Amino acid sequence: MATIETVLQGFSLASNQGSFAFCGVTLIRGVKNILVDVAHVGRRQLLVGRLAEMGLTPNDIDYVFLTHAHWDHILNLDVFPNAQVLVHRNEREYVRHPKDTDWATPSYVTHLLESSKVREVAAGEEIDDDVRVLET
């Protein structure tokens, strides 16, 4: 049976200069090691360090599952070169042409995503034993 562990807690901050976010990062350990979201580069050392505390290296991650492709969820994809990146087909299509008003999905995220080993997933798909995609 798969277990779920918090790697990094997520939160957002607001200031008089604007808002920014730190997405949560979650590890699902089953037959595969699945990292749900990978945070942004400002949390890179913290992410790798926390994984080490959990007995893992970036090479131990089989899948990176992206809940969505906002910058604070996707920028550390390059840390996991062996991982297959799982993303819903609707999100993959959206990042190719994000809305002009969508500041959280800049045009460069499509390049990050497409330079990875991407596999589209669908609601209900089993990605590991008893681990299924839930579309929200």
Side-chain angles (χ1 to χ4, degrees):
M1 174 175 241
T3 62
I4 300 171
E5 302 170 66
T6 298
V7 179
L8 297 177
Q9 185 67 41
F11 56 94
S12 62
L13 301 168
S15 75
N16 64 351
Q17 298 295 309
S19 299
F20 50 98
F22 295 90
C23 81
V25 178
T26 305
L27 175 66
I28 302 172
R29 291 191 204 226
V31 175
K32 304 283 188 185
N33 288 316
I34 304 169
L35 203 57
V36 180
D37 295 327
V38 293
H40 63 77
V41 294
R43 299 184 90 189
R44 185 170 288 203
Q45 282 186 297
L46 185 60
L47 173 59
V48 172
R50 182 69 180 117
L51 286 173
E53 291 171 12
M54 300 169 97
L56 297 169
T57 70
N59 290 332
D60 295 322
I61 302 302
D62 300 297
Y63 296 145
V64 167
F65 185 95
L66 296 176
T67 58
H68 58 287
H70 282 174
W71 67 274
D72 64 310
H73 292 249
I74 194 172
L75 291 184
N76 283 320
L77 278 179
D78 63 317
V79 174
F80 305 96
N82 297 333
Q84 188 170 49
V85 177
L86 308 179
V87 65
H88 193 281
R89 66 178 173 82
N90 291 347
E91 187 66 11
R92 188 176 188 186
E93 181 59 31
Y94 177 78
V95 299
R96 290 180 177 131
H97 307 286
K99 294 178 183 175
D100 292 338
T101 56
D102 184 354
W103 61 268
T105 310
S107 60
Y108 62 78
V109 298
T110 191
H111 302 293
L112 291 172
L113 187 59
E114 296 305 325
S115 66
S116 303
K117 295 180 277 189
V118 177
R119 184 177 113 206
E120 293 181 4
V121 294
E125 182 176 336
E126 187 174 58
I127 57 174
D128 199 4
D129 289 353
D130 297 322
V131 178
R132 296 187 183 280
V133 175
L134 176 65
E135 187 172 356
T136 59

